[in-house]
Every structure is written in structure tokens, then in C-alpha cells.
Amino acid sequence: LNRSLLASTELKRAATEHELIYQVKQVYHQLNYLMNAHDFLMQQDSLYDGVAKAATLRYQAGESHLLERTTAETQRNETRNLITRNEAEQIAVRNQLAVLMNSAMLPAIAKLGEDLHAPVTEPSPAAIKNNPSMAFARQQIEIASSQKRMEAARAAPEIIIGYFNQT
């Protein structure tokens, strides 16, 4: 039982390490997505800025109505609000990554390409067998069955059979 508990502790450590690596990857990819979205929003902002300037000039020249200018400015301001929200989310995700990495300063984050999604494949039986979380669960089952056998042995009556021969 003690060996099982020791193995269980080691497997739990491996599972925790595996989970931490997974979380760091997830947060890193989320940060990368936010950085790419920021670039896209900046491009969109420059487009809407040009549209708003053109609508303002057309309104001042009397070629359009106030509604066109107001709509263009509203779209530009909406994009700027999205940029502000994106920047706030980036700060929150950077802080989350710093906590996960247990570091006050983060290394420079390089942008990955737009296509971050790998094709989804069925995990192989070997990958499932070697997964630390699965190994930890199997070890927990083994510990529970050992404890059950020990309790059953403890609850059983003690029978002492002796033989005494007097010749």
C-alpha cells in the first residue's frame, strides 16, 4: 500500500506538470490570437478612419446627409472600442501567463501565423496509455482496491487453529 501511495504521488506530480504545460500552451495561443486580432482591428480602424474623413468632407460639401457621416463615425468609434477591449484582454492574458510561468517578466511573444489549428486526429492507444492523468487514475484505482482488501481482511474474524498432542 505504501508503494502504491508513493507511485500515486509521483503520478499526480506528472499529471499536474502535464496540466500546467497544457495551460501555458492554451494561454500562449490565446495571447497570440489576441495579438493577431489587434493587428486586424488596427487595419479596420484605418479603413473606417478614411471612410469617416470622406463622409465628413462629403457632408461639408453638401453631397451627403448627416446620417452617412454619423454612421461612419459610429463604425470608427466602435472599432476603437474593440481595440481598447482587445488591449485590456491582452494585459489580462499576459498576467495569467506570467502567473502560470511563475515569472514577473515575460519573454517576448513572437506572433505565430494565422493558421494555428492543426488537424484533429484520434489519439493513439499508446498516447492514452502514457497520459499522466490516466496513469494517475489507474494508480488511484489500484490504491482503492488495496485499501478495500486491507479493510476486508481487518473485518474478518481471526481464527487461530492450534494442534496440541500429548503423548
Side-chain angles (χ1 to χ4, degrees), residues 30-99:
Q30 183 181 7
L31 181 59
N32 198 315
Y33 169 78
L34 289 171
M35 290 169 66
N36 285 330
H38 186 266
D39 290 345
F40 174 75
L41 288 171
M42 293 303 287
Q43 291 173 354
Q44 196 174 18
D45 181 54
S46 65
L47 290 174
Y48 282 136
D49 195 37
V51 169
K53 286 179 184 176
T56 302
L57 290 176
R58 287 182 55 189
Y59 175 72
Q60 289 172 350
E63 295 178 6
S64 70
H65 298 286
L66 180 62
L67 180 63
E68 181 181 345
R69 187 183 88 177
T70 305
T71 302
E73 288 176 355
T74 302
Q75 287 175 333
R76 180 185 61 194
N77 290 335
E78 184 178 335
T79 303
R80 288 184 179 166
N81 286 339
L82 288 173
I83 290 170
T84 304
R85 190 169 80 196
N86 180 283
E87 289 170 350
E89 287 179 16
Q90 280 188 38
I91 291 170
V93 170
R94 283 180 188 273
N95 289 338
Q96 185 179 4
L97 187 60
V99 167

Side-chain angles (χ1 to χ4, degrees), residues 94-162:
R94 283 180 188 273
N95 289 338
Q96 185 179 4
L97 187 60
V99 167
L100 287 173
M101 294 179 67
N102 197 21
S103 172
M105 291 194 48
L106 287 178
I109 306 293
K111 289 184 188 176
L112 297 176
E114 302 260 338
D115 185 23
L116 297 176
H117 302 289
V120 178
T121 59
E122 190 70 27
S124 68
I128 293 172
K129 183 179 179 186
N130 294 332
N131 186 320
S133 298
M134 293 296 291
F136 176 68
R138 284 191 296 273
Q139 187 65 32
Q140 290 299 101
I141 291 170
E142 183 181 323
I143 289 172
S145 65
S146 296
Q147 287 177 338
K148 183 179 175 184
R149 284 192 307 269
M150 189 176 76
E151 290 298 323
R154 200 180 281 165
E158 289 186 30
I159 299 175
I160 300 174
I161 299 176

